[in-house]
Amino acid sequence: MYTIGQVAKLVHLPISTIRYYDKEGLFPTLERTSGIRKFSEKELEALRMIECLKKSGLKIKEIKLFMEWCAQGSSTYEKRLELFLHQRKVVEEKIEKLEKVLDMIQFKCWYYEQALADGNEDRLKTYTETPQD
Amino acid sequence: MYTIGQVAKLVHLPISTIRYYDKEGLFPTLERTSGIRKFSEKELEALRMIECLKKSGLKIKEIKLFMEWCAQGSSTYEKRLELFLHQRKVVEEKIEKLEKVLDMIQFKCWYYEQALADGNEDRLKTYTETPQD
DNA sequence: ATAATACCTGAACTCAACTTTAGGTCAATA
DNA sequence: TATTGACCTAAAGTTGAGTTCAGGTATTAT
């Protein structure tokens, strides 16, 4: 069992953020003793999932739903599976988009290396100009 | 030359967003005739770069700086190159992180497929439990 | 002539995800 | 005994990126 301060150090998050997550309902089974939160392995695991799901693009409210499904037991396995199947697609698409962004950035790196060497963009502009006539 | 409405359709953005970008200084050389914005190829190109730079993680204010450098000419090639070299790293790291997220999600897909087949997580829990004793 | 469009502005509003503030409890230490 | 430190709350504030609103102009269609 951990206090909020210990958890904050373990997961490298500000205490205020963990309290905020709790207020938003991200730890539906969190226990307290005389007002003080008592975090278990379960909540640490939840915090790891929260980071992952956030990066995958889910909003806090959507993560809350997932955490509630987890608390509801085996009746929600299907929903949870569907969520992950969906997020898999989302993340795959995110990566694809970022790879296109990276291509564009690579090109710009090359472009400005040339521009810097040439002292101008005259030669380069022929690559990017809109086709005429 | 295009009006704001034409540009909105071309780049699939709401007019309000394009006005907002203009207010934030993202088109430093945009021209107007009697108050009405006149967009050229230059601004269309800028809008494409904005999308790319946004996805790479830059804030509007940072993009504004870049657009100003572009307007300043050859004296800023080095700054621009440094920006892209930096963003290249940022995007590469973003992709790496998303790949880890994807791994986690793949595992969860497998996990819930098993849980669904088993009807419980009893067998699975042995994979995720914290080492004891 | 009037009404529908497409443009314009400044200011207020929204949303998500936090963070900060102000005030309070409780246990241990100087 | 008093103050320090770790916890608590509710409520207000912040940031970023827009969106919406209320009101105005100018041109075109009925």
Side-chain angles (χ1 to χ4, degrees), chain B residues 16-72:
Chain B
S16 61
T17 301
I18 301 172
R19 288 211 184 101
Y20 165 70
Y21 287 168
D22 184 26
K23 194 161 55 175
E24 292 301 302
L26 264 47
F27 311 120
T29 64
L30 178 67
E31 294 187 18
R32 287 171 183 246
T33 49
S34 61
I36 289 171
R37 294 174 183 85
K38 291 309 220 162
F39 294 82
S40 68
E41 259 338 296
K42 198 173 188 170
E43 278 79 36
L44 286 185
E45 176 59 21
L47 279 164
R48 276 175 227 120
M49 273 318 297
I50 290 166
E51 284 310 278
C52 173
L53 292 174
K54 255 164 46 91
K55 282 182 199 151
S56 89
L58 284 191
K59 291 176 192 165
I60 299 295
K61 285 193 181 164
E62 297 167 319
I63 298 176
K64 176 193 169 158
L65 280 184
F66 171 72
M67 293 303 170
E68 284 169 356
W69 294 343
C70 289
Q72 280 162 33

Side-chain angles (χ1 to χ4, degrees), chain A residues 29-45:
Chain A
T29 64
L30 178 66
E31 293 187 18
R32 286 171 183 248
T33 48
S34 60
I36 288 171
R37 294 175 183 86
K38 291 308 218 162
F39 294 81
S40 68
E41 259 336 297
K42 199 173 185 169
E43 278 79 35
L44 285 185
E45 175 58 22

Side-chain angles (χ1 to χ4, degrees), chain A residues 14 16-17 20-21 23 54 58-61:
Chain A
S16 62
T17 301
Y20 165 71
Y21 287 168
K23 193 161 57 174
K54 256 165 45 92
L58 283 191
K59 290 176 191 164
I60 298 297
K61 285 195 179 163

